[in-house]
């Protein structure tokens, strides 16, 4: 029921098209039942040596029906295929929207490669829902009902015999089919693990080549594929065994019926035409039953993909929270009141941390690795929510309703900035799509990138490559800084942004930043503070607690010495 509700959430918009397609399929299905009846009519007519003059008229009627059925069949199949593609795209969009709304904690527990596999592979398994599940199930259901009705008319005793024999292998078929859904789910999980391994390996290709691990990684990937292959082969074997068992039993039944009719030992009153028509209807019903078994297996694939998808996408579309009115412009005051946080419940990173940063202050946050400096940035940005205490921006608490609005007033540069596969311009204008050339050039100057861009043959239109692999670490950091300041945010957070810069370049960068951000809140998390030209306040984190908070006058020459 949950699966149906989930699917109907996305498919209900096409209910008119679905109804029309099913109506066309009804006509196509019933016209297919006419041909054995036509064969019966012709055979009986020729064997009796008489004609009633209706054959020619019936043939023309069937030609018209055939043309109509072909046109409706074309409409039905193209619509069903199109609806499957539309559903696939809607589900991928819904998954993408859901993943974008998740916290960073979610991604720390789920591998990106496996999530990517859900979008690429598992949603692709839902695409045949209309063309390979709903339409065949409906059509084969009509075939079975129509064939049974016509077979009863032709010979009710033979029909009962066929139905009884068809029911006999049902317990055995169900027994074989029990393990198929479990194997299908395990196969999908294995594919997801292989996809994640593949993606993570290519991301780390530089390290793999640098440490000559190509052969070892190939062996590891082969082991992942082998594990997945075992469940896939087992599932395939069960599916083939089930379908071939059904096919064998039903074929033997049909041959028995045909022999009995032809020898007139059991059904002496049958005409040859009735016998042939009955056999065709029984054969069509047999094939429909076998198709239903294949449709069931298709459903298992779809159901497994849906179960995984439903853990990531809400059954009903969630409405975004109502926008919160914020004071404009944001002044940049930051307050922590008894904030505690840990990435896991048994390992706190911050414990009852309290501090206040005044608007426009340049604040240095220091401390050993693992002391919680980056965590402070993550909490201010709203990437994670504090487990206790309050975080305020200009007196407004950072929470689910206000986070997006507050982020519009913040820029940040992380320790390992990620660049997108695209041009320099696209990466720098990432935060401000409407940025003018003047704004971009000013950002380049502040981030000490003007010379680099001028040296490139294509300038800002140079492709940086996926994750910026064509650039050095220092160049990537400066591009990330330009990206963060292109819209002149009231609050700027720099997390080890100077770690990869040469001393002269770092001094120039800090000088440029001070020039453009003299009265704007700037939070600097770093181990290297010697070249920072201005520090109004220093916060030292150690063991998840604030150990010192030192106010320092603006613009004194002895600031670096006092920080150290």
């Amino acid at each position: 029921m949950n699966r149906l509700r989930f699917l109907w959430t996305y498919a209900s918009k096409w209910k008119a098209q679905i109804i029309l397609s099913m109506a066309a399929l009804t006509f196509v299905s019933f016209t297919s039942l006419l041909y054995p009846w036509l064969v019966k009519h012709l055979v009986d007519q020729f064997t009796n040596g008489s004609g009633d003059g209706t054959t020619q008229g019936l043939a023309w009627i069937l030609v018209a029906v055939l043309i109509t059925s072909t046109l409706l069949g074309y409409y039905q199949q193209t619509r069903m295929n199109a609806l499957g593609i539309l559903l696939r795209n809607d589900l991928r969009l819904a998954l993408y929207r859901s993943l974008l709304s998740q916290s960073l904690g979610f991604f720390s527990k789920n591998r990106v490669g496996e999530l990517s596999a859900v979008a690429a592979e598992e949603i692709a398994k839902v695409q045949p829902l209309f063309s390979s599940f709903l339409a065949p199930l409906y059509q084969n259901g009509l075939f079975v009902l129509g064939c049974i009705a016509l077979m009863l008319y032709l010979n009710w005793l033979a029909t009962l015999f066929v139905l009884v024999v068809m029911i006999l292998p049902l317990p055995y078929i169900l027994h074989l089919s029990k393990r198929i859904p479990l194997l299908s789910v395990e196969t999908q999980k294995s594919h997801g693990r292989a996809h994640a391994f593949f993606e993570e390996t290519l991301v780390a290709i530089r390290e793999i080549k640098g440490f000559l691990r190509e052969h070892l990684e190939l062996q590891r990937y082969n082991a992942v594929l082998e594990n997945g292959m075992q469940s896939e082969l087992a599932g395939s074997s069960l599916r083939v065994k089930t379908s071939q068992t059904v096919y064998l039993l039903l074929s033997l039944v049909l041959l028995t019926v045909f022999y009995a009719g032809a020898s007139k030992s059991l059904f002496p009153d049958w005409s040859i035409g009735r016998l042939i028509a009955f056999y065709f209807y029984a054969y069509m019903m047999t094939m429909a039953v076998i198709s239903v078994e294949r449709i069931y297996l298709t459903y298992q694939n779809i159901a497994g993909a849906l179960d995984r998808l439903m853990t990531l996408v809400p059954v009903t579309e969630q409405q975004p929270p109502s926008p919160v009115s914020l004071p404009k412009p944001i002044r940049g005051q930051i307050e922590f009141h008894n904030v505690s946080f840990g990435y896991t419940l048994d390992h706190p990173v911050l414990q009852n941390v309290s501090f206040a940063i005044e608007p426009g202050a340049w604040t240095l946050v220091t401390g050993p690795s693992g002391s919680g400096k980056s965590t402070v940035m993550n909490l201010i940005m709203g990437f994670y929510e504090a487990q206790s205490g309050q975080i305020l921006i200009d007196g407004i608490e950072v929470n689910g309703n206000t986070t997006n609005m507050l982020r519009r007033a913040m820029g940040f540069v992380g320790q390992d900035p990620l660049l997108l596969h695209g041009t320099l311009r696209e990466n720098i204008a990432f935060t401000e799509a409407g940025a003018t050339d003047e704004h971009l050039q000013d950002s380049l100057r502040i981030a000490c990138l003007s010379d680099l861009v001028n040296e490139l043959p294509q300038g800002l239109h140079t492709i940086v490559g996926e994750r910026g692999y064509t650039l050095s670490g220092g160049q990537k950091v400066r591009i990330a800084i330009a990206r963060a300041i292109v819209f002149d945010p009231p609050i700027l957070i720099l997390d080890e942004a100077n770690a990869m810069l040469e001393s002269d370049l770092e001094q120039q960068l800090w000088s440029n930043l001070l020039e453009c951000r003299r009265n704007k809140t700037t939070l600097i998390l770093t181990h290297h503070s010697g070249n920072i030209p201005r520090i109004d306040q220093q916060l030292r984190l150690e063991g998840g607690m604030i150990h010192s908070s030192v106010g320092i006058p603006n613009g004194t020459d002895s600031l670096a010495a006092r920080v150290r």
Side-chain angles (χ1 to χ4, degrees), residues 167-188:
I167 294 173
L168 287 178
L170 190 59
Y172 175 71
I173 295 170
L174 292 176
H175 173 72
L176 288 178
S177 301
K178 281 182 179 180
R179 290 189 58 218
I180 293 177
L182 299 176
L183 291 170
S184 177
V185 171
E186 182 58 34
T187 297
Q188 292 179 28

Side-chain angles (χ1 to χ4, degrees), residues 1-7 299 310 315:
M1 183 59 69
N2 287 337
R3 293 175 188 146
L4 291 177
R5 285 180 55 220
F6 179 81
L7 287 172
Y299 167 74
M310 287 166 59
V315 176

Side-chain angles (χ1 to χ4, degrees), residues 176 179-184 187 228-244 293-294 297 301:
L176 288 178
R179 290 189 58 218
I180 293 177
L182 299 176
L183 291 170
S184 177
T187 297
M229 184 179 66
Q230 297 305 318
S231 58
E232 193 167 5
L233 289 176
S236 175
S237 176
L238 280 176
R239 287 191 291 269
V240 173
K241 186 184 295 184
T242 302
S243 61
Q244 290 303 308
E293 187 266 341
R294 286 196 293 266
L297 299 178
N301 283 333

